Amino acid sequence: MPAGFTVDEMKRVDEVVEKRRRIKQGELLFSNGEAFTSLYAIRTGFFKTCVTSADGREQVTGFQMAGEIIGMDGIVSDHHNCNAVALEDAEVCEMPFASVEDLSRELPGLQRHVHKIMSREIVRENSVMMLLGNMRAEERLAAFLLNLVQRLHARGLSQSELVLRMTREEIGSYLGLKLETVSRAFSKFSEEGIIEVKQRHVKIIAPEALKKIFNPQTYF
Amino acid sequence: MPAGFTVDEMKRVDEVVEKRRRIKQGELLFSNGEAFTSLYAIRTGFFKTCVTSADGREQVTGFQMAGEIIGMDGIVSDHHNCNAVALEDAEVCEMPFASVEDLSRELPGLQRHVHKIMSREIVRENSVMMLLGNMRAEERLAAFLLNLVQRLHARGLSQSELVLRMTREEIGSYLGLKLETVSRAFSKFSEEGIIEVKQRHVKIIAPEALKKIFNPQTYF
DNA sequence: GTAGTCATTTGATATGCATCAAAGACTATT
DNA sequence: AATAGTCTTTGATGCATATCAAATGACTAC
């Protein structure tokens, strides 16, 4: 995945991948408390990560798709600090973290890549905090849809159409909203002609309108 | 800071520190958009980090104290993605990130330490997401106070008394609440005899009660 | 010491989202 | 094709927190 390697280096990076693992929809890739050994590169499929409070409340902390890395929550304590659940049948590459560290001591490019991935996650979570702390329901959903479609587009998929892999409840958990509120926001966008919604199929008709909702100030 | 080094290794780690920098209360250690060059180890003082939305809303993403590292938000894009403001006169050690990377390629202990620091930040932000997404005002404040006093205690300070370095508004921003709500929650805790509040001086009278508020379920 | 500023508290009211409830739509199973 | 189960939508109502407002208290600069 990182660029700028020689053929030989690339080969060594590939060798870090210990094995492929298939995860069926609904199954856990790893769970809270489990010993941490590896990072996982998602090859296909879609995951959610979530944390649970002592009294059982669940907070979805992220949705991850092909090409993204999960498991970094486990490094600090050698145990995972969240659950990773496949939202559709998935395949991941298991990368033992000890091997990643060994090789990244030899390849500065890999080392930098690992640091960037973790930094990116920190920055992403910063913006989620902004969402949860300051935005209203429709702003949150607009931001969510724009982010999702942007990531899908970067993978060669449509800029305007997407299939949600998660329920309204999971979207709500991620955005700090109840499922009914998410549903109402979808309906509102739909009535306003901004999107078309048919179950989990969403078509973005007016991306500009979504951006405007996400960030009203830009348009003054 | 990391343990398990020989005297010689320790010396090399120390040499990564390029210089000390003093930051006066209210001043920026770094700001959003600024080129990223270094991580900073806080020697003395107290910081907040915050992000700002395009329309000017501010979200405090964390409070950092002596012994903690800030700046990791800048690695991903070579530019900082938040502001770091000193809430009291402070002194930091500047550690050029290129040197950190160079040395951590040689010292696996340092490499692991860097990874853990970043992972810890990811996990911390996960719990803030839980706070913002699922908890009510008093639960958030209880969690905040417990976290703060625990970190201070780890630094040899009191388990029960603390001086807040931030305003009610900054606490509110961190917790996704308005300053009035924070103030009311303080008053409520105070009326109930859980804490004593005199301006920014807080004395925790009944830590158990705070823990119970934070996590009611444990006590059933 | 005094004026001025900023931070905090407290009260009254408003509002956005949660909660409760029920019906409808889709999916899987038999 | 019928049935059960899950997910989603929509409506009615309630509540936690935001908003607006004003008073008080602390701190700063002169």
mmCIF file of all heavy atoms in Angstrom, chain A residues 136-137 177-178 180-181 184 199, chain C residues 16-21 25-26:
data_model
loop_
_atom_site.group_PDB
_atom_site.id
_atom_site.type_symbol
_atom_site.label_atom_id
_atom_site.label_comp_id
_atom_site.label_asym_id
_atom_site.label_seq_id
_atom_site.Cartn_x
_atom_site.Cartn_y
_atom_site.Cartn_z
ATOM 1 N N ARG A 136 -25.705 19.874 14.491
ATOM 2 C CA ARG A 136 -27.064 19.387 14.648
ATOM 3 C C ARG A 136 -27.306 18.178 13.742
ATOM 4 O O ARG A 136 -26.475 17.858 12.899
ATOM 5 C CB ARG A 136 -28.052 20.516 14.391
ATOM 6 C CG ARG A 136 -28.068 21.430 15.635
ATOM 7 C CD ARG A 136 -28.875 22.690 15.549
ATOM 8 N NE ARG A 136 -28.609 23.423 14.342
ATOM 9 C CZ ARG A 136 -29.419 23.461 13.288
ATOM 10 N NH1 ARG A 136 -30.559 22.785 13.291
ATOM 11 N NH2 ARG A 136 -29.113 24.175 12.227
ATOM 12 N N ALA A 137 -28.430 17.533 13.990
ATOM 13 C CA ALA A 137 -28.665 16.224 13.375
ATOM 14 C C ALA A 137 -28.423 16.231 11.864
ATOM 15 O O ALA A 137 -27.732 15.362 11.336
ATOM 16 C CB ALA A 137 -30.075 15.745 13.697
ATOM 17 N N LEU A 177 -26.941 10.013 17.550
ATOM 18 C CA LEU A 177 -28.372 10.261 17.353
ATOM 19 C C LEU A 177 -29.144 8.960 17.511
ATOM 20 O O LEU A 177 -28.574 7.875 17.418
ATOM 21 C CB LEU A 177 -28.622 10.814 15.941
ATOM 22 C CG LEU A 177 -27.894 12.095 15.549
ATOM 23 C CD1 LEU A 177 -28.039 12.345 14.054
ATOM 24 C CD2 LEU A 177 -28.429 13.278 16.351
ATOM 25 N N LYS A 178 -30.454 9.059 17.705
ATOM 26 C CA LYS A 178 -31.283 7.869 17.727
ATOM 27 C C LYS A 178 -31.689 7.524 16.299
ATOM 28 O O LYS A 178 -31.728 8.389 15.427
ATOM 29 C CB LYS A 178 -32.523 8.104 18.594
ATOM 30 C CG LYS A 178 -32.192 8.274 20.051
ATOM 31 C CD LYS A 178 -31.626 6.983 20.621
ATOM 32 C CE LYS A 178 -30.855 7.223 21.906
ATOM 33 N NZ LYS A 178 -30.232 6.016 22.441
ATOM 34 N N GLU A 180 -34.470 6.948 14.943
ATOM 35 C CA GLU A 180 -35.605 7.708 14.413
ATOM 36 C C GLU A 180 -35.169 9.062 13.877
ATOM 37 O O GLU A 180 -35.667 9.526 12.845
ATOM 38 C CB GLU A 180 -36.672 7.916 15.487
ATOM 39 C CG GLU A 180 -37.340 6.643 15.999
ATOM 40 C CD GLU A 180 -36.658 6.105 17.237
ATOM 41 O OE1 GLU A 180 -35.441 6.305 17.387
ATOM 42 O OE2 GLU A 180 -37.347 5.472 18.073
ATOM 43 N N THR A 181 -34.246 9.673 14.583
ATOM 44 C CA THR A 181 -33.743 10.980 14.140
ATOM 45 C C THR A 181 -32.999 10.853 12.816
ATOM 46 O O THR A 181 -33.145 11.697 11.926
ATOM 47 C CB THR A 181 -32.813 11.581 15.209
ATOM 48 O OG1 THR A 181 -33.520 11.632 16.450
ATOM 49 C CG2 THR A 181 -32.359 12.970 14.828
ATOM 50 N N ARG A 184 -35.605 10.402 10.124
ATOM 51 C CA ARG A 184 -36.266 11.675 9.801
ATOM 52 C C ARG A 184 -35.376 12.574 8.960
ATOM 53 O O ARG A 184 -35.843 13.248 8.035
ATOM 54 C CB ARG A 184 -36.655 12.401 11.084
ATOM 55 C CG ARG A 184 -37.928 11.870 11.723
ATOM 56 C CD ARG A 184 -38.282 12.670 12.970
ATOM 57 N NE ARG A 184 -38.408 11.817 14.140
ATOM 58 C CZ ARG A 184 -39.553 11.206 14.494
ATOM 59 N NH1 ARG A 184 -40.636 11.368 13.777
ATOM 60 N NH2 ARG A 184 -39.590 10.437 15.553
ATOM 61 N N GLN A 199 -34.528 2.459 0.901
ATOM 62 C CA GLN A 199 -33.871 1.593 1.886
ATOM 63 C C GLN A 199 -32.419 2.023 2.064
ATOM 64 O O GLN A 199 -32.180 3.181 2.366
ATOM 65 C CB GLN A 199 -33.952 0.135 1.443
ATOM 66 C CG GLN A 199 -35.344 -0.403 1.476
ATOM 67 C CD GLN A 199 -35.923 -0.379 2.866
ATOM 68 O OE1 GLN A 199 -36.882 0.337 3.138
ATOM 69 N NE2 GLN A 199 -35.314 -1.143 3.753
ATOM 70 P P DG C 16 -34.984 23.965 16.927
ATOM 71 O OP1 DG C 16 -34.359 25.201 16.450
ATOM 72 O OP2 DG C 16 -36.258 23.467 16.347
ATOM 73 O "O5'" DG C 16 -33.912 22.799 16.896
ATOM 74 C "C5'" DG C 16 -32.813 22.823 17.802
ATOM 75 C "C4'" DG C 16 -32.523 21.424 18.296
ATOM 76 O "O4'" DG C 16 -33.424 21.082 19.378
ATOM 77 C "C3'" DG C 16 -32.692 20.334 17.247
ATOM 78 O "O3'" DG C 16 -31.592 19.449 17.382
ATOM 79 C "C2'" DG C 16 -34.036 19.679 17.591
ATOM 80 C "C1'" DG C 16 -34.108 19.877 19.102
ATOM 81 N N9 DG C 16 -35.451 20.058 19.660
ATOM 82 C C8 DG C 16 -36.511 20.725 19.092
ATOM 83 N N7 DG C 16 -37.574 20.750 19.856
ATOM 84 C C5 DG C 16 -37.202 20.056 20.986
ATOM 85 C C6 DG C 16 -37.945 19.757 22.166
ATOM 86 O O6 DG C 16 -39.102 20.055 22.444
ATOM 87 N N1 DG C 16 -37.189 19.026 23.076
ATOM 88 C C2 DG C 16 -35.878 18.640 22.881
ATOM 89 N N2 DG C 16 -35.314 17.943 23.857
ATOM 90 N N3 DG C 16 -35.175 18.913 21.794
ATOM 91 C C4 DG C 16 -35.900 19.617 20.888
ATOM 92 P P DC C 17 -31.284 18.326 16.363
ATOM 93 O OP1 DC C 17 -29.837 18.401 16.107
ATOM 94 O OP2 DC C 17 -32.267 18.385 15.263
ATOM 95 O "O5'" DC C 17 -31.558 17.017 17.211
ATOM 96 C "C5'" DC C 17 -30.902 16.873 18.465
ATOM 97 C "C4'" DC C 17 -31.689 15.929 19.339
ATOM 98 O "O4'" DC C 17 -32.971 16.483 19.660
ATOM 99 C "C3'" DC C 17 -31.952 14.564 18.714
ATOM 100 O "O3'" DC C 17 -31.251 13.609 19.518
ATOM 101 C "C2'" DC C 17 -33.476 14.410 18.749
ATOM 102 C "C1'" DC C 17 -33.896 15.435 19.800
ATOM 103 N N1 DC C 17 -35.247 16.011 19.618
ATOM 104 C C2 DC C 17 -36.145 15.975 20.692
ATOM 105 O O2 DC C 17 -35.785 15.470 21.756
ATOM 106 N N3 DC C 17 -37.387 16.512 20.520
ATOM 107 C C4 DC C 17 -37.730 17.056 19.369
ATOM 108 N N4 DC C 17 -38.951 17.565 19.256
ATOM 109 C C5 DC C 17 -36.828 17.102 18.258
ATOM 110 C C6 DC C 17 -35.607 16.572 18.417
ATOM 111 P P DA C 18 -31.507 12.064 19.445
ATOM 112 O OP1 DA C 18 -30.234 11.446 19.826
ATOM 113 O OP2 DA C 18 -32.178 11.713 18.186
ATOM 114 O "O5'" DA C 18 -32.532 11.815 20.651
ATOM 115 C "C5'" DA C 18 -32.172 12.244 21.950
ATOM 116 C "C4'" DA C 18 -33.131 11.690 22.989
ATOM 117 O "O4'" DA C 18 -34.429 12.316 22.845
ATOM 118 C "C3'" DA C 18 -33.383 10.195 22.916
ATOM 119 O "O3'" DA C 18 -33.490 9.696 24.249
ATOM 120 C "C2'" DA C 18 -34.693 10.083 22.135
ATOM 121 C "C1'" DA C 18 -35.420 11.362 22.520
ATOM 122 N N9 DA C 18 -36.218 11.954 21.441
ATOM 123 C C8 DA C 18 -35.806 12.255 20.170
ATOM 124 N N7 DA C 18 -36.731 12.816 19.426
ATOM 125 C C5 DA C 18 -37.836 12.889 20.273
ATOM 126 C C6 DA C 18 -39.144 13.397 20.082
ATOM 127 N N6 DA C 18 -39.569 13.942 18.935
ATOM 128 N N1 DA C 18 -39.988 13.322 21.117
ATOM 129 C C2 DA C 18 -39.551 12.784 22.266
ATOM 130 N N3 DA C 18 -38.348 12.289 22.564
ATOM 131 C C4 DA C 18 -37.528 12.374 21.515
ATOM 132 P P DT C 19 -33.716 8.158 24.536
ATOM 133 O OP1 DT C 19 -33.131 7.914 25.866
ATOM 134 O OP2 DT C 19 -33.298 7.395 23.347
ATOM 135 O "O5'" DT C 19 -35.290 8.014 24.661
ATOM 136 C "C5'" DT C 19 -35.979 8.772 25.649
ATOM 137 C "C4'" DT C 19 -37.463 8.564 25.478
ATOM 138 O "O4'" DT C 19 -37.917 9.226 24.275
ATOM 139 C "C3'" DT C 19 -37.906 7.102 25.341
ATOM 140 O "O3'" DT C 19 -38.844 6.843 26.370
ATOM 141 C "C2'" DT C 19 -38.533 7.016 23.956
ATOM 142 C "C1'" DT C 19 -38.934 8.453 23.705
ATOM 143 N N1 DT C 19 -39.034 8.899 22.288
ATOM 144 C C2 DT C 19 -40.192 9.497 21.871
ATOM 145 O O2 DT C 19 -41.154 9.658 22.593
ATOM 146 N N3 DT C 19 -40.194 9.905 20.551
ATOM 147 C C4 DT C 19 -39.157 9.776 19.653
ATOM 148 O O4 DT C 19 -39.271 10.187 18.506
ATOM 149 C C5 DT C 19 -37.969 9.139 20.152
ATOM 150 C C7 DT C 19 -36.795 8.953 19.244
ATOM 151 C C6 DT C 19 -37.964 8.733 21.432
ATOM 152 P P DC C 20 -39.328 5.362 26.684
ATOM 153 O OP1 DC C 20 -39.539 5.290 28.147
ATOM 154 O OP2 DC C 20 -38.432 4.409 25.995
ATOM 155 O "O5'" DC C 20 -40.751 5.308 25.969
ATOM 156 C "C5'" DC C 20 -41.706 6.330 26.258
ATOM 157 C "C4'" DC C 20 -42.893 6.181 25.340
ATOM 158 O "O4'" DC C 20 -42.582 6.757 24.041
ATOM 159 C "C3'" DC C 20 -43.325 4.740 25.076
ATOM 160 O "O3'" DC C 20 -44.739 4.666 25.251
ATOM 161 C "C2'" DC C 20 -42.917 4.486 23.624
ATOM 162 C "C1'" DC C 20 -43.053 5.898 23.032
ATOM 163 N N1 DC C 20 -42.267 6.166 21.808
ATOM 164 C C2 DC C 20 -42.856 6.881 20.766
ATOM 165 O O2 DC C 20 -44.022 7.272 20.882
ATOM 166 N N3 DC C 20 -42.134 7.130 19.645
ATOM 167 C C4 DC C 20 -40.878 6.706 19.557
ATOM 168 N N4 DC C 20 -40.209 6.981 18.441
ATOM 169 C C5 DC C 20 -40.248 5.964 20.611
ATOM 170 C C6 DC C 20 -40.974 5.714 21.718
ATOM 171 P P DA C 21 -45.493 3.282 25.186
ATOM 172 O OP1 DA C 21 -46.628 3.369 26.129
ATOM 173 O OP2 DA C 21 -44.512 2.191 25.301
ATOM 174 O "O5'" DA C 21 -46.063 3.292 23.701
ATOM 175 C "C5'" DA C 21 -46.814 4.425 23.256
ATOM 176 C "C4'" DA C 21 -47.191 4.234 21.804
ATOM 177 O "O4'" DA C 21 -46.091 4.668 20.952
ATOM 178 C "C3'" DA C 21 -47.495 2.784 21.397
ATOM 179 O "O3'" DA C 21 -48.782 2.749 20.811
ATOM 180 C "C2'" DA C 21 -46.407 2.440 20.399
ATOM 181 C "C1'" DA C 21 -46.033 3.809 19.845
ATOM 182 N N9 DA C 21 -44.698 3.905 19.274
ATOM 183 C C8 DA C 21 -43.525 3.419 19.794
ATOM 184 N N7 DA C 21 -42.476 3.657 19.039
ATOM 185 C C5 DA C 21 -43.003 4.342 17.943
ATOM 186 C C6 DA C 21 -42.415 4.873 16.787
ATOM 187 N N6 DA C 21 -41.105 4.805 16.524
ATOM 188 N N1 DA C 21 -43.222 5.491 15.891
ATOM 189 C C2 DA C 21 -44.532 5.563 16.164
ATOM 190 N N3 DA C 21 -45.209 5.105 17.215
ATOM 191 C C4 DA C 21 -44.373 4.505 18.082
ATOM 192 P P DA C 25 -45.788 -0.045 2.705
ATOM 193 O OP1 DA C 25 -45.790 0.998 1.650
ATOM 194 O OP2 DA C 25 -46.720 -1.182 2.634
ATOM 195 O "O5'" DA C 25 -44.307 -0.611 2.826
ATOM 196 C "C5'" DA C 25 -43.209 0.303 2.857
ATOM 197 C "C4'" DA C 25 -41.924 -0.502 2.972
ATOM 198 O "O4'" DA C 25 -41.914 -1.189 4.239
ATOM 199 C "C3'" DA C 25 -41.778 -1.581 1.885
ATOM 200 O "O3'" DA C 25 -40.461 -1.506 1.379
ATOM 201 C "C2'" DA C 25 -42.027 -2.885 2.636
ATOM 202 C "C1'" DA C 25 -41.519 -2.534 4.024
ATOM 203 N N9 DA C 25 -42.081 -3.299 5.122
ATOM 204 C C8 DA C 25 -43.402 -3.545 5.393
ATOM 205 N N7 DA C 25 -43.608 -4.267 6.477
ATOM 206 C C5 DA C 25 -42.326 -4.519 6.947
ATOM 207 C C6 DA C 25 -41.842 -5.232 8.062
ATOM 208 N N6 DA C 25 -42.632 -5.847 8.944
ATOM 209 N N1 DA C 25 -40.508 -5.291 8.242
ATOM 210 C C2 DA C 25 -39.707 -4.670 7.364
ATOM 211 N N3 DA C 25 -40.046 -3.962 6.277
ATOM 212 C C4 DA C 25 -41.378 -3.929 6.128
ATOM 213 P P DC C 26 -40.104 -2.022 -0.052
ATOM 214 O OP1 DC C 26 -39.427 -0.924 -0.755
ATOM 215 O OP2 DC C 26 -41.301 -2.674 -0.645
ATOM 216 O "O5'" DC C 26 -39.029 -3.148 0.270
ATOM 217 C "C5'" DC C 26 -37.890 -2.785 1.055
ATOM 218 C "C4'" DC C 26 -37.478 -3.959 1.905
ATOM 219 O "O4'" DC C 26 -38.545 -4.368 2.769
ATOM 220 C "C3'" DC C 26 -37.099 -5.221 1.115
ATOM 221 O "O3'" DC C 26 -35.688 -5.355 1.183
ATOM 222 C "C2'" DC C 26 -37.849 -6.352 1.831
ATOM 223 C "C1'" DC C 26 -38.258 -5.701 3.140
ATOM 224 N N1 DC C 26 -39.448 -6.277 3.815
ATOM 225 C C2 DC C 26 -39.256 -6.998 4.986
ATOM 226 O O2 DC C 26 -38.099 -7.158 5.429
ATOM 227 N N3 DC C 26 -40.340 -7.522 5.622
ATOM 228 C C4 DC C 26 -41.566 -7.340 5.119
ATOM 229 N N4 DC C 26 -42.600 -7.868 5.793
ATOM 230 C C5 DC C 26 -41.784 -6.594 3.929
ATOM 231 C C6 DC C 26 -40.709 -6.093 3.310
#
